C-alpha cells in the first residue's frame, strides 16, 4: 500500500488539509464494496488540484485513502458532528444519498473500525498535528484551512441547493474573528457566487479538534459546492479548467488575506 498521506512542508503560517481527496482503497476493502460503493462518488474531487500553488510556501497535508476506508474528518469516538441530521459515520455505511455502499454481509464491523483507526485515521492526524506544531513553533500561530467539496444538491443531507462557499468555524469558536470576517467578506463579494457562514456545514471534526484560538491555533473549513469547479456533479466528475480558474481567483484572495491576518496575530503575540 502506498503512503496514506502526502505532506508538503512550507514556511507560511497557513496549513491546507485535504482529508477527502484520496481515492486509494486497499484491495481487501475494495472487494467488500458493492457497485455503488466502487463509484467512490463522495470524493472531494480534484480539490488538491484546485488549491495547487495558490499560496507560496503553504504547508499541505493530504490523506490518500478514501473516506469509505475511514473518514479522516470524523470523531474517532464515532460522535455525530450534526446530531439529529442525516450524515455519514466514521466508516460510512451509505453514500451521501443514503444508499448502501457495501455488499450484503460485508458491512464494516467494530473490529474494522478499530483496525482502520489505527492504520489510517490516527497516522493522518498525527502527521497533521505535527505540521501544526511545526508551523506554530515558527510563527507562534498557525492557521489550519480544511479543504472540502460536495455535490450542491443532496436531498438526503440538506434541502435545496447548497451555496458555492460554505464557511465553517463552529459558530466562531475555531478561529480569530478577523479570519472568519475576512473569509466571509471575500466570499460574499465574489461576483456570480453564493456563500454562507456556519450553515449546513459548520466545520467538521478536524476544524473543531484543532481550532483553539486561545492557544494560537486557528482553524476554518471551506466546503465548496462542486458545481463551482467541476464540469458536472456526476460521474466522471471531471475538472473544469475554466470554472476552476475563475474560482481560484477568489480562493487565492481568501488564503492571502488569512495569511496576512496570521502575520498580524504573530506580531501582536510578540508585542
Amino acid at each position: 500500500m502506498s503512503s496514506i498521506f502526502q505532506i508538503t512542508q512550507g514556511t507560511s503560517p497557513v496549513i491546507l488539509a485535504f482529508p477527502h481527496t484520496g481515492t486509494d482503497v486497499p484491495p481487501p476493502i475494495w472487494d467488500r464494496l458493492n457497485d455503488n460503493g466502487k463509484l467512490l462518488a463522495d470524493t472531494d474531487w480534484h480539490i488538491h488540484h484546485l488549491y495547487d500553488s495558490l499560496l507560496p510556501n503553504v504547508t499541505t497535508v493530504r490523506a490518500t485513502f478514501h473516506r469509505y476506508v475511514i473518514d479522516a474528518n470524523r470523531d474517532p469516538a464515532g460522535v455525530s458532528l450534526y446530531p439529529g441530521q442525516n450524515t455519514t459515520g466514521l466508516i460510512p455505511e451509505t453514500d451521501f444519498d443514503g444508499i448502501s455502499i457495501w455488499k450484503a454481509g460485508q458491512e464494516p464491523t467494530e473490529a474494522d473500525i478499530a483496525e482502520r483507526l489505527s492504520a489510517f485515521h490516527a497516522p493522518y492526524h498525527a502527521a497533521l498535528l505535527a505540521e501544526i506544531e511545526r508551523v506554530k513553533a515558527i510563527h507562534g500561530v498557525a492557521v489550519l484551512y480544511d479543504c472540502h467539496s460536495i455535490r450542491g444538491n443532496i436531498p438526503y443531507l440538506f434541502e435545496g441547493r447548497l451555496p458555492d462557499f460554505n464557511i465553517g468555524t463552529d459558530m466562531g469558536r475555531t478561529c480569530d474573528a478577523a479570519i472568519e470576517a475576512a473569509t466571509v467578506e471575500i466570499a460574499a463579494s465574489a461576483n456570480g457566487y453564493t456563500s454562507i457562514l456556519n450553515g449546513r456545514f459548520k466545520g467538521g471534526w478536524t476544524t473543531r479538534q484543532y481550532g483553539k484560538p486561545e492557544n494560537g491555533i486557528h482553524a476554518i473549513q471551506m466546503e465548496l459546492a462542486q458545481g463551482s469547479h467541476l464540469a458536472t456533479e456526476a460521474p466522471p466528475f471531471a475538472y473544469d479548467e475554466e470554472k476552476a480558474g475563475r474560482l481560484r481567483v477568489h480562493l487565492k484572495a481568501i488564503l492571502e488575506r488569512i495569511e496576512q491576518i496570521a502575520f498580524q496575530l504573530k506580531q501582536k503575540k510578540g508585542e
Side-chain angles (χ1 to χ4, degrees), residues 5-7 15-19 59-63 124 127-128 131:
F5 54 81
Q6 297 172 340
I7 295 175
I15 301 160
L16 303 183
F18 302 94
T59 293
T60 65
V61 182
R62 174 180 176 253
Y124 168 77
L128 181 56
E131 291 308 307

Side-chain angles (χ1 to χ4, degrees), residues 166-267:
N166 298 267
I167 303 159
T169 64
D170 195 24
M171 309 309 290
R173 297 183 184 92
T174 64
C175 68
D176 188 274
I179 293 172
E180 180 186 86
T183 304
V184 169
E185 179 184 0
I186 294 170
S189 64
N191 189 35
Y193 296 93
T194 55
S195 62
I196 193 169
L197 171 65
N198 292 315
R200 174 60 179 84
F201 299 101
K202 297 176 174 62
W205 186 76
T206 301
T207 303
R208 303 182 201 189
Q209 172 72 7
Y210 298 110
K212 301 290 187 289
E214 65 276 12
N215 296 333
I217 301 173
H218 308 264
I220 187 167
Q221 176 176 298
M222 180 65 78
E223 185 90 54
L224 298 168
Q226 291 180 341
S228 65
H229 55 282
L230 299 185
T232 62
E233 295 183 345
F237 299 103
Y239 190 71
D240 187 310
E241 292 285 354
E242 184 177 348
K243 282 185 178 181
R246 292 196 300 269
L247 181 61
R248 278 168 55 87
V249 172
H250 304 296
L251 295 174
K252 180 178 177 65
I254 289 170
L255 294 179
E256 288 177 343
R257 184 70 183 112
I258 288 175
E259 185 179 61
Q260 290 171 0
I261 294 169
F263 283 128
Q264 291 168 0
L265 293 172
K266 174 183 178 179
Q267 186 175 14

Side-chain angles (χ1 to χ4, degrees), residues 120-131:
F120 298 93
H121 193 285
Y124 168 77
H125 280 284
L128 181 56
L129 180 58
E131 291 308 307

Side-chain angles (χ1 to χ4, degrees), residues 90-159:
L90 189 56
I91 298 181
E93 295 183 4
T94 71
D95 63 12
F96 288 163
D97 295 311
I99 301 171
S100 175
I101 58 174
W102 302 99
K103 294 176 181 176
Q106 297 294 311
E107 297 83 0
T109 65
E110 290 298 320
D112 290 326
I113 293 173
E115 178 182 350
R116 297 181 206 177
L117 277 171
S118 176
F120 298 93
H121 193 285
Y124 168 77
H125 280 284
L128 181 56
L129 180 58
E131 291 308 307
I132 292 171
E133 292 176 341
R134 181 186 67 82
V135 167
K136 187 186 174 190
I138 296 171
H139 299 286
V141 297
V143 182
L144 175 62
Y145 180 104
D146 207 31
C147 307
H148 295 265
S149 75
I150 193 169
R151 286 178 286 138
N153 186 17
I154 307 178
Y156 181 71
L157 297 183
F158 48 81
E159 295 181 0

